[in-house]
Amino acid sequence: MGPAMNVGFIGLGTMGQHLARNLHRAGLLTGVWNRTTTKSEAMASETGCKAFGSPAPLAAACDFIFICVSADDDLLSVVEALLPGLRKGTIVIDCSTVAADTARRAATRLATVGAALLDCPVSGGVEGAKNATLAIMCGGDQEVFERAQPVLAAIGKTVALLGPTGAGQATKATNQILCAGVIQVVAEAMAFAQAEGLPLEKVIDVLGKGAGSSWYFVHRAPFMVRGDYPAGFRVRLHDKDLRICRDMAARHGAKLPVVESTLADYQRLLEAGHGDEDISTIFRLKSPLFAAGK
Ligand code: NAP
């Protein structure tokens, strides 16, 4: 018989509920805890796993514990709540997006009871979570990473160890900078094409096959044409991530122009009540640029 594989899950939000379901499908899910108990009770009755009343008893029952909560302070408070129940050798897998430094702080706290952290932020959105096709960027010890392979394989398709604790989060921050630049330029290009009076759907078809294309151009430029931005990747969440990128860059003495201009744009969008729309809503700020000269 191989090593024990009891898996617990904490944070059954938009992403977490799908991750937990995929662990259940793989026959791995032992129990769940969620701050709002209705969600954990629903998951327990759906999958037959146990709904724990608090994190510590879940920790005591599990060999692997996934966490997928909103932000840095949330992760740290969940880690504190786990500590009294954790056993030596337990692996905590954090799929939240937080700063690399926060991952290192969490790892230090877990090490006091002999538990290990893998920072495992994910990319691929809700669709990727649902279909278990996420890209998972890991930071931690090689040996811990190898032990976690079978459980990570249940939630994602591309799993890579990028370096020690924090390296997964640093890679995720790199991805968030890419997304900022791409969504900015897709919106500017579409505003330009609109001002030129071009047939926008055709422009997307043709340029979608050109050298300047990207996932965001193909999948989100149509949102701009329709002027409808249903929640995919919320402005509010990307704003949080870009603040992490800003702080991490500042540690190197750097200020990144694309990050700064995107944060300034998001500030305007948040103030105008667009925080829960997809980030392609940035088009709202680009098309008026062409009205200025008229
Ligand atoms: P979400 O729908 O807002 O869910 C957040 C979850 O965290 C909920 O279960 C919430 O519990 C729990 N939570 C928040 N603060 C907590 C605290 N202090 N203590 C205990 N539980 C707490 O968020 P999400 O979209 O699933 O995102 C989760 C993480 O994944 C974020 O870091 C996000 O940046 C990252 N991510 C999201 C996406 C995406 O497309 N959505 C993609 C990649 C990565 P309640 O139910 O009680 O509120």
Side-chain angles (χ1 to χ4, degrees), residues 39-84:
K39 291 185 197 169
S40 37
E41 281 155 12
M43 187 59 70
S45 60
E46 179 186 326
T47 63
C49 78
K50 184 172 162 66
F52 285 90
S54 59
L58 177 147
C62 294
D63 310 293
F64 295 89
I65 299 160
F66 278 84
I67 303 176
C68 189
V69 294
S70 308
D72 299 59
D73 288 345
D74 307 312
L75 169 67
L76 293 174
S77 75
V78 167
V79 164
E80 288 307 316
L82 285 171
L83 286 177

Side-chain angles (χ1 to χ4, degrees), residues 82-266:
L82 285 171
L83 286 177
L86 278 171
R87 291 178 278 138
K88 196 168 181 301
T90 300
I91 297 177
V92 176
I93 298 173
D94 175 40
C95 298
S96 326
T97 301
V98 298
D101 246 17
T102 305
R104 289 188 279 265
R105 278 175 66 188
T108 304
R109 293 296 292 148
L110 292 169
T112 60
V113 295
L117 178 83
L118 268 187
D119 48 308
C120 294
V122 298
S123 180
V126 182
E127 294 94 329
K130 211 173 188 165
N131 303 326
T133 54
L134 292 169
I136 312 176
M137 303 142 245
C138 309
D141 292 347
Q142 178 80 38
E143 174 267 333
V144 173
F145 175 70
E146 274 159 24
R147 272 203 286 148
Q149 281 292 324
V151 293
L152 292 173
I155 63 158
K157 207 152 86 178
T158 309
V159 186
L161 180 67
L162 282 309
T165 303
Q169 294 295 354
T171 307
K172 173 76 183 184
T174 308
N175 183 65
Q176 302 315 75
I177 297 171
L178 282 172
C179 292
V182 173
I183 203 66
Q184 285 269 11
V185 85
V186 168
E188 263 178 42
M190 288 302 288
F192 176 84
Q194 187 182 51
E196 286 291 316
L198 293 170
L200 297 179
E201 312 265 1
K202 264 193 188 167
V203 167
I204 297 170
D205 273 354
V206 176
L207 296 188
K209 275 128 199 132
S213 186
S214 62
W215 186 92
Y216 271 106
F217 181 65
V218 173
H219 295 276
R220 296 301 184 241
F223 286 18
M224 299 175 189
V225 177
R226 292 197 292 270
D228 183 27
Y229 312 97
F233 185 20
R234 290 170 208 271
V235 168
R236 204 179 293 295
L237 281 181
H238 198 203
D239 181 76
K240 169 201 66 141
D241 297 349
L242 290 178
R243 287 173 194 280
I244 292 171
C245 298
R246 170 194 267 169
D247 292 346
M248 289 175 71
R251 288 172 175 260
H252 301 278
K255 199 166 185 172
L256 300 177
V258 170
V259 169
E260 292 305 321
S261 74
T262 310
L263 279 169
D265 285 351
Y266 283 177

